[in-house]
Amino acid sequence: MNNELSFIFSRRSVRTYQPKEVGPELVQNLLESAMAAPSAVAKDPWEFLVIRERSTLARIASGLPNGGLLADAAVGIVVCGDLTRAHDHQLSYLLQDCSAAIENLLLAAQALGLGGCWLGVHPREDRVAHIRQLLAVPEQVIPVAVIAVGWPAESPAPRTRYRAEAVHYETW
Amino acid sequence: MNNELSFIFSRRSVRTYQPKEVGPELVQNLLESAMAAPSAVAKDPWEFLVIRERSTLARIASGLPNGGLLADAAVGIVVCGDLTRAHDHQLSYLLQDCSAAIENLLLAAQALGLGGCWLGVHPREDRVAHIRQLLAVPEQVIPVAVIAVGWPAESPAPRTRYRAEAVHYETW
């Protein structure tokens, strides 16, 4: 793995956190990073809910399998997409744009010494409904994922999951 | 913008390229970066076609609006997802996984001094069919995007498209 790319290989899902606050300027950095992602026709349909309230994080967690780690995360960032703003109102573009933004956010967290974990919401209807109801997310806005962020209490080793069989040259 | 995150803010769509080859070890770095992305339940449903053949790049371009820049790109990387390998066979997870991989690939390109541009394929049925037929992509594999890569002939300034209105605290 090329050392110049360690910012990518070092990003691992971090699921345990130190009991320590993540300041608002760091969260601002994460959001600026997320919104630097590419977006189809630059529609930027993404929306972000920043949750620090412990009781809200616990309630979000209760609707997500493997969401328990939110109980120890300093912040939860709910990433949504507004279908009316997505290019051609297409769910596919909304998901692509939000996912690129999430990856930027996770890489930024890693680069700032934080740890993060991507908790899936879409396409599970029960999870979408749970988040929507809990956080008063409007009908046209689709919760895609919740990103847990905190100071890491574990340091998974850098890696790639490169598979040569996934690479095809010139044609399938 | 935090300087520690310049690897994110410096990634811009690069649409003009120098007439210069991109070596196979650099392409390998890009693919290792792409396959270091998070993936729902680590299913890694992504597949990559690496295209250098000029006539193939021209044919891909003919089916993509704004695909003309592929004519000058050193490499085109077609990113696809295998629906049978995606978590729970869900298109949403396939798109999320592939988009995170694409963002890693684009950030890696930028960090290596290369430039890249994300050309949308899915959900446009005509573009999907064009790529599928041209490159013999199997039925269960969905072409998501084509990434043009080359040595940049332009250097767009770093930026974020941060919008304060896209950020909500504690609830919508």
Side-chain angles (χ1 to χ4, degrees), chain A residues 93-164:
Chain A
Y93 291 128
L94 181 156
L95 292 168
Q96 293 179 57
D97 294 354
C98 287
S99 301
I102 291 169
E103 183 59 1
N104 268 11
L105 194 160
L106 289 169
L107 291 166
Q110 159 66 32
L112 295 169
L114 296 163
C117 188
W118 182 330
L119 300 167
V121 175
H122 194 271
R124 304 301 189 190
E125 279 308 325
D126 55 337
R127 302 185 203 171
V128 168
H130 174 73
I131 299 279
R132 183 187 302 294
Q133 186 264 327
L134 188 63
L135 302 174
V137 175
E139 200 55 44
Q140 78 280 9
V141 177
I142 297 171
V144 176
V146 181
I147 313 303
V149 176
W151 294 102
E154 58 175 342
S155 307
R159 72 167 183 186
T160 173
R161 300 189 308 286
Y162 179 84
R163 287 185 304 120

Side-chain angles (χ1 to χ4, degrees), chain A residues 3 10 29 33 42 52 62 70 77 92 102 104 107 113 115 136 141 147:
Chain A
N3 276 334
S10 300
N29 287 169
S33 297
R52 293 175 178 280
S62 74
L70 277 170
I77 300 178
S92 174
I102 291 169
N104 268 11
L107 291 166
V141 177
I147 313 303

